[in-house]
Amino acid sequence: MAAIKMLAPSGRLEDVEAVSATTVKNSFGEVLDKAVERGIVAITRHDKARVVMLSLNEYEALVKRAGDPLERLHGYFDEVVSRMQGPGTDKALKELFAVGPKAGQKSRKAPAAPATLASRRRVSRR
């Protein structure tokens, strides 16, 4: 089995053992044992890495390092809301919504909302 340089679950560029897809097909158990032993095995097709096989320990560590994406989003949302409630934001919002057409210009009306399927049915039944 050859080794190729690739980004490993550790986040570093490392030599990872590579096996061909044909070898995996013919000797799955041996390749599985290698993945458990080494943590990761690259599976190649036409000498190019296409898939990696991770041990359960490596997979769980990778998921743990990644963290909960919703938790990160929640933190970002709280930060944005906090900034929006800071001093001076109420004045800025009032100024933003007070902006109207320039003197001598007519205000534009918003385009009509497209008819819903239910309203089209009501029209066609009449």
Side-chain angles (χ1 to χ4, degrees):
M1 290 188 207
I4 59 173
K5 286 252 187 233
M6 65 184 300
L7 195 59
S10 64
R12 295 184 304 264
L13 198 60
E14 297 179 8
D15 283 329
V16 173
E17 190 158 350
V19 296
S20 70
T22 302
T23 302
V24 173
K25 180 179 129 190
N26 295 332
S27 307
F28 184 77
E30 290 175 26
V31 176
L32 184 65
D33 290 342
K34 288 280 186 192
V36 170
E37 175 187 323
R38 297 176 188 236
I40 184 173
V41 172
I43 301 171
T44 63
R45 179 176 249 170
H46 304 294
D47 298 322
K48 186 175 180 181
R50 302 291 182 158
V51 176
V52 294
M53 183 184 294
L54 296 176
S55 69
L56 183 59
N57 289 340
E58 282 294 326
Y59 172 77
E60 288 174 341
L62 186 63
V63 169
K64 191 174 186 176
R65 279 192 302 272
D68 181 3
L70 290 179
E71 194 60 39
R72 287 193 307 270
L73 185 59
H74 180 72
Y76 174 74
F77 177 79
D78 287 346
E79 177 188 325
V80 169
V81 169
S82 176
R83 282 190 310 215
M84 290 172 62
Q85 295 176 353
T89 55
D90 56 339
K91 180 182 174 192
L93 283 173
K94 285 178 186 173
E95 289 173 2
L96 175 67
F97 288 108
V99 173
K102 293 180 181 177
Q105 288 184 337
K106 292 183 179 181
S107 64
R108 290 187 181 176
K109 290 186 178 180
T116 63
L117 184 58
S119 67
R120 282 189 227 135
R121 285 185 185 148
R122 276 186 254 130
V123 169
S124 65
R125 288 184 185 161
R126 292 182 183 162

